[in-house]
């Protein structure tokens, strides 16, 4: 298994890296020694860790399979209960023989679970049928719109992390007017619905100031399967408002999380001890406190990627962003089941994948998890 | 202080002396949020009497009144304090009626989620074994997805499965169902956790020893002891449920313009943002934010007040 071995090697590197904590010293009151790099060569427990990690990954993947199967079942059940594809495809003028032939051709005369298995098999090969609304293969529709959604989600996540973490650290350390202002701001950010943030931003920056576009992706550069807005000024400008709208909720969430974790860490014994050792505030705040807030932050930030993709439905509708979320909303409005089913299955695979990666990162960041297993 | 013999305090006085009421009086934020919420609640509940116009009465609309700006604008009219929309409907009246619908759906959805969640949580925690594993597995799978996605999907499927002529009539019920179903796992998991703790307590054992049925133990003995966190999560979920309903209506799969909720009003107003008629969007949006903010602030306060660690 070349892939698995590569993955576990990558994780081992991550693990070894996260272990260059200040080494334990016999005399805690002695001045801290110069920070030494870990000895070169493989980690002493590398082989053991690799086995553990492999078992962990395999068990997580085994847990993920039923989730995807159940979601696929729900997606398929939509076909069974919502609308009748035969009448949709035949129109109004048809004979009974034509109907029976089509039913047979579509395999609708077979038992439910046989049909379900066929659906999952086709889905595994990326085939989700043809959109009722647009009369085009669903896979093509999704592939066309995926770059827009992914670029938007990625920009929003980077924005949320780059602004949220420093703000959280600042409000955690300082008790100033600015920090109280940030907290009020974050409370408003949590209470403001996503679509309202988008509307307000459009009103201020597009209608009143007229500096940023309010809909579409601007100019995009097309490669064979990918269209990007990162390479043109118009594309980047068009990205600003949607990305801020989408990332704002995540940003306030990360900020509040980092703040509360920082407060907790700064009260803990090891920080008091670090202070007693005479470490400077910089080393305490960032080397000790922030470092230990990273586990929950990684988890939440990772899990929030799923939230970002889901909320991109709303953001894309506000900004008429030509992504998968807009396609999904338009499909829900007219009950375009193939698109809904495909989106659902794809999102579930994405979410399960994200959860898996988050678990692995968790494993890499928190050494206690490795010992416990 | 009167010299009269102390009387047994009434229910109101006892409540006034309780820890919860004390911490409420001491928190200016909670008092302000409660006052704001009360104003909104009264406005919504008494909408037919308070609102200057009836936005649902199509006969009273006059297209001559359309697109009037708020009263402080030079072109504003005192009979339409917050202006009118493109159909000549009064924005303030629309908001009062809209908040009413939003609240009905929000409260209905939370109650639905609470009932389903408590039932599933009690059952999973008390029965354990396979029941527990199956229920919590379902909850876990659902929690992987954001609530808005579930609500959107359930709404789409249920609406499509219903016959066309029932869509408008049953929309409120469909929304309550789809939003409620997307929030039950939080309640189920909390109740299950507390039930696991309570199950091992002496009073439950005693109840079992005197031969009470499992259903009776769950409902009359365990349930009252696991309700505390449910109140907190319920309050915070109410804010989320109202936002979810507004979002669905904004996306065009919620309430139709004929019986607009706040989200529908924002959706209608959004089309006129670029022609400069900002009041059609901003005022309903402001109402939504104030409503959700006051509920969230009260929820935050309740969580802190009920958490003995923070006392």
């Amino acid at each position: 298994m070349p892939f698995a071995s590569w993955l576990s090697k990558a994780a081992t590197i991550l693990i070894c890296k996260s272990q260059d904590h200040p080494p334990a010293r016999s005399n805690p009151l002695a001045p801290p020694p110069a920070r030494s790099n870990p000895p070169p060569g493989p980690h002493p427990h590398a082989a053991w860790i690799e086995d553990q990690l492999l078992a962990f990954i395999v068990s997580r993947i085994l847990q993920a399979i039923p989730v995807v199967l159940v979601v696929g079942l729900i997606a398929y059940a939509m076909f069974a209960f919502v609308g009748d594809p035969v009448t949709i495809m035949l129109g109004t003028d048809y004979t009974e023989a034509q109907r029976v032939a089509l039913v047979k051709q579509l395999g609708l005369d077979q038992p439910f679970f046989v049909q379900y298995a066929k659906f999952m098999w086709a889905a595994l090969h990326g085939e989700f049928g043809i959109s009722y609304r647009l009369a085009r293969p669903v896979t093509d529709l999704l592939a066309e719109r995926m770059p827009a959604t992914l670029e938007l989600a990625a920009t929003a996540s980077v924005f949320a992390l780059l602004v949220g973490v420093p703000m959280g650290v600042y409000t955690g350390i300082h008790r100033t007017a600015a920090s109280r202002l940030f907290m009020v701001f974050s409370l408003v950010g949590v209470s403001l619905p996503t679509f309202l943030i988008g509307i307000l931003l459009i009103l201020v920056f597009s209608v009143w100031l007229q500096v940023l576009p309010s809909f579409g992706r601007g100019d995009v550069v097309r490669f064979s399967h990918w269209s990007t807005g990162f390479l043109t000024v118009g594309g980047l400008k068009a990205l600003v408002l949607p990305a801020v709208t989408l990332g704002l909720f995540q940003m306030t969430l990360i900020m509040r999380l980092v703040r509360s974790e920082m407060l907790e860490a700064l009260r803990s014994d090891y920080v008091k001890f670090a202070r007693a050792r005479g470490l400077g505030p910089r080393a305490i705040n960032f080397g000790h406190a922030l470092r230990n807030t990273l586990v929950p932050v990684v988890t939440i930030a990772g899990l929030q990627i799923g939230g970002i993709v889901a909320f991109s439905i709303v953001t894309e509708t506000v900004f008429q962003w030509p992504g998968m979320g807009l396609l999904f909303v338009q499909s829900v409005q007219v009950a375009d089941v193939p698109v809904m089913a495909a989106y659902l299955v794809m999102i579930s695979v994405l979410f399960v994948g994200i959860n898996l990666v988050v678990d692995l990162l968790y494993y890499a960041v928190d050494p206690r998890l490795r010992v416990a297993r | 202080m009167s010299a009269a013999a102390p009387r047994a305090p009434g229910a109101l006085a006892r409540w006034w002396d309780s820890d919860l009421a004390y911490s409420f009086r001491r928190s200016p934020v909670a008092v302000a949020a409660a006052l704001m919420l009360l104003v909104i609640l009264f406005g919504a509940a008494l909408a037919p009497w308070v609102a200057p116009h009836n936005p649902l009465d199509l006969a009273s609309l006059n297209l001559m009144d359309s697109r009037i700006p708020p009263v402080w604008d030079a072109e504003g009219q005192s009979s339409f304090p917050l202006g009118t929309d493109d159909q000549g409907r009064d924005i303030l009246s629309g908001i009062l009626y809209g908040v009413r619908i939003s609240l009905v759906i929000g409260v209905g959805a939370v109650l639905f989620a609470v009932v389903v969640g408590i039932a599933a949580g009690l059952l999973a925690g008390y029965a354990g074994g396979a029941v527990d594993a199956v229920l919590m597995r379902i909850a876990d799978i659902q929690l992987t997805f954001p609530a808005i996605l579930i609500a959107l999907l359930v709404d789409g499927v249920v609406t499509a499965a219903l016959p066309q002529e029932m869509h408008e009539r049953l929309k409120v019920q469909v929304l309550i169902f789809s939003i409620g179903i997307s929030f039950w796992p939080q309640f189920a998991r909390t109740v299950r956790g507390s039930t696991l703790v309570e199950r091992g307590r002496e009073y439950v054992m005693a109840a079992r020893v005197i031969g009470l049925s499992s259903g009776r133990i769950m409902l009359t003995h365990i349930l009252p002891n696991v309700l505390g966190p449910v109140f907190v999560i319920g309050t915070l979920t109410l804010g989320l449920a109202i936002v979810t309903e507004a979002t669905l209506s904004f996306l065009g799969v919620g309430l139709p313009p004929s019986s607009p909720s706040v989200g529908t009003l924002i959706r209608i107003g959004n089309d006129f943002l670029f022609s400069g008629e900002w009041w059609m969007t901003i005022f309903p949006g402001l109402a939504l934010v104030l409503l959700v903010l006051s509920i969230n602030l009260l929820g935050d306060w309740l969580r802190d007040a009920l958490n003995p660690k923070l006392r």
Side-chain angles (χ1 to χ4, degrees), chain B residues 231-305:
Chain B
F231 278 114
V232 176
I233 303 178
T235 319
L236 293 171
T237 307
L238 179 59
L240 273 178
I242 291 173
V243 167
T244 307
E245 183 277 319
T247 307
L248 290 182
S249 292
F250 176 78
L251 293 177
V253 295
L255 287 162
S258 54
S259 56
S261 74
V262 184
T264 320
L265 292 177
I266 297 172
R267 171 188 171 81
I268 297 171
N270 191 31
D271 295 338
F272 297 91
L273 207 56
F274 277 91
S275 47
E277 281 116 6
W278 52 271
W279 57 89
M280 292 185 205
T281 317
I282 297 305
F283 289 128
L286 195 65
L288 179 65
V289 172
L290 288 180
L291 177 63
V292 174
L293 189 64
S294 58
I295 293 174
N296 282 350
L297 287 172
L298 274 181
D300 276 347
W301 160 75
L302 195 63
R303 183 187 54 201
D304 293 347

Side-chain angles (χ1 to χ4, degrees), chain B residues 15-67:
Chain B
W15 182 82
W16 185 254
D17 279 338
S18 70
D19 287 352
L20 205 59
Y22 176 74
S23 98
F24 180 76
R25 291 198 300 273
R26 290 290 302 271
S27 163
V29 176
V31 173
L35 283 180
M36 189 154 70
L37 190 61
L38 270 182
V39 169
I40 298 175
L41 282 181
F42 267 105
L46 305 176
W49 298 277
V50 185
H53 306 269
N54 182 356
L56 305 179
D57 179 14
L58 295 176
S60 72
L61 295 184
N62 187 348
L63 273 180
M64 294 295 286
D65 294 335
S66 70
R67 308 191 184 195

Side-chain angles (χ1 to χ4, degrees), chain A residues 88-305:
Chain A
I88 291 170
M89 290 171 83
L90 282 174
T92 49
D93 192 23
Y94 57 90
T95 63
E96 179 63 16
Q98 276 175 323
R99 197 188 70 82
V100 173
L102 187 64
V103 165
K104 209 169 184 63
Q105 186 201 331
L106 292 174
L108 295 175
D109 51 346
Q110 287 163 327
F112 181 83
F113 277 97
V114 174
Q115 293 184 43
Y116 165 59
K118 279 188 167 171
F119 169 80
M120 285 310 282
W121 185 248
L124 206 60
H125 293 81
E127 285 162 30
F128 288 99
I130 291 170
S131 158
Y132 297 161
R133 183 172 64 101
L134 298 165
R136 289 184 50 203
V138 174
T139 318
D140 292 359
L141 290 173
L142 285 177
E144 261 169 32
R145 285 161 171 78
M146 192 181 289
T149 297
L150 289 185
E151 286 190 352
L152 178 60
T155 315
S157 312
V158 170
F159 163 76
L161 276 176
L162 284 189
V163 182
V165 172
M167 269 170 85
V169 171
Y170 182 84
T171 51
I173 298 172
H174 301 284
R175 313 231 139 270
T176 58
S179 127
R180 229 169 291 134
L181 195 71
F182 283 158
M183 287 310 288
V184 173
F185 172 71
S186 83
L187 195 65
V188 175
V190 169
S191 296
L192 269 178
T194 309
F195 67 96
L196 214 51
I197 295 173
I199 290 174
L200 287 177
L201 288 177
I202 288 180
L203 185 65
V204 173
F205 291 99
S206 302
V207 180
W208 287 346
L209 300 177
Q210 302 196 342
V211 286
L212 290 168
S214 68
F215 64 90
R217 287 183 80 190
D219 309 318
V220 291
V221 180
R222 229 167 257 293
F223 299 104
S224 60
H225 288 295
W226 193 273
S227 61
T228 179
F230 284 149
L231 297 177
T232 60
V233 177
L236 287 175
K237 271 176 118 175
L239 199 56
V240 175
L241 292 185
V244 170
T245 305
L246 188 54
L248 202 63
F249 181 77
Q250 268 69 29
M251 190 207 89
T252 51
L253 204 69
I254 289 175
M255 174 196 146
R256 289 172 79 98
L257 183 75
V258 170
R259 174 179 177 272
S260 67
E261 292 288 328
M262 279 294 279
L263 285 178
E264 195 148 308
L266 287 174
R267 268 202 303 262
S268 65
D269 287 343
Y270 67 85
V271 165
K272 279 182 202 154
F273 187 62
R275 275 203 195 108
R277 272 185 4 222
L279 289 185
R282 202 188 167 81
I284 292 174
N285 290 338
F286 295 97
H288 289 70
L290 181 61
R291 193 189 183 95
N292 280 280
T293 66
L294 284 182
V295 176
V297 171
V298 164
T299 319
I300 298 292
L303 294 176
Q304 285 301 316
I305 294 176

Side-chain angles (χ1 to χ4, degrees), chain B residues 142-160:
Chain B
Q142 206 189 310
L143 274 180
T144 331
F145 301 95
I148 180 79
L149 194 65
I150 308 251
L152 194 58
L153 201 78
V154 174
D155 178 80
V157 171
V158 173
T159 307

Side-chain angles (χ1 to χ4, degrees), chain A residues 1-9 50 54-55 57-58 61:
Chain A
M1 288 158 81
F3 177 70
S5 73
W6 170 83
L7 200 62
S8 62
K9 201 149 284 161
E50 225 167 282
L54 202 62
I57 294 174
V58 169
I61 291 176

